[in-house]
Amino acid sequence: VPVFPWHSLVPFLETSQSN
Amino acid sequence: SAPSLPPYFTKGSIIQLADGELKRVEDLKTEDFIQSAEISSELKIDSSTVERIDSSHTPHFAIIQFAVGEHRSQVSVEVLVEYPFFVFGQGWSSCCPDRTTQLLELPCAKLSVGDVCISLTLKNLK
C-alpha cells in the first residue's frame, strides 16, 4: 500500500508562481 | 491523456505525518498539518485566502486567486474544478465538491471566497 507524505497534499503557492 | 488528480487524494490513501503517524486522507485534521509543519525543519504553513474563483477557458478547470502569506501576495492558479484544497477548520474543499466526491470518494465541502486554505512555504525563505 503506497504511503504519501503529508506535504504532498497541500500546495506551495509562493510568489514565484504569482501571475 | 485527460488531466487527473494525484492518487493521494483518493479516499483511503495512507498519509504519513511528520511524526511518522499514519492517517487516511479523509481523516486528516487542521492540527495534523500544523503539527507536522512544526516538526519539519524545512516547511512552514502559510495561510492562503481565496479572493476570487473564476471559470477557465479550459473545460473542467477553474482559476482561483489567492492572497498568500503575511504579505498577501496575489497568486492565481488554474486547477481542475474537483481539485481539493484543505481549508483551515473545515477540511477538504473544492470548486465542485460533488465531482470531487464522485471521483475520489473524498468527503468535500464547497470552496468559497474568503476560505483560508493551508499552503506551504520554505522556512528559510528570505
Side-chain angles (χ1 to χ4, degrees):
Chain A
V1 174
V3 174
F4 302 98
W6 66 278
H7 50 74
S8 54
L9 292 168
V10 283
F12 280 82
L13 290 175
E14 261 313 319
T15 49
S16 60
Q17 292 177 337
S18 63
N19 53 359
Chain B
S1 61
S4 62
L5 288 169
Y8 40 74
F9 286 125
T10 305
K11 183 180 180 186
S13 290
I14 305 298
I15 308 302
Q16 185 163 47
L17 304 181
D19 62 4
E21 184 184 355
L22 298 179
K23 274 198 162 183
R24 296 185 187 284
V25 64
E26 65 269 26
D27 297 330
L28 289 171
K29 298 282 184 278
T30 301
E31 274 309 300
D32 296 323
F33 290 100
I34 291 173
Q35 285 166 7
S36 289
E38 283 168 359
I39 294 171
S40 169
S41 58
E42 293 174 328
L43 301 174
K44 191 178 75 166
I45 294 278
D46 242 351
S47 299
S48 297
T49 305
V50 177
E51 299 224 318
R52 291 180 57 102
I53 300 178
D54 298 317
S55 53
S56 165
H57 296 300
T58 314
H60 302 300
F61 277 76
I63 297 173
I64 305 174
Q65 186 169 323
F66 291 98
V68 178
E70 296 162 51
H71 307 294
R72 302 187 63 74
S73 313
Q74 298 297 302
V75 174
S76 288
V77 292
E78 186 174 40
V79 294
L80 284 164
V81 293
E82 63 264 26
Y83 191 92
F85 290 87
F86 199 97
V87 174
F88 277 92
Q90 177 174 292
W92 296 110
S93 306
S94 76
C95 301
C96 187
D98 292 345
R99 192 168 164 79
T100 306
T101 305
Q102 178 195 356
L103 291 171
L104 303 170
E105 295 182 45
L106 184 67
C108 195
K110 175 84 172 162
L111 187 70
S112 306
V113 170
D115 282 353
V116 181
C117 302
I118 292 179
S119 61
L120 291 175
T121 185
L122 296 174
K123 271 181 176 164
N124 59 4
L125 198 62
K126 284 289 173 286

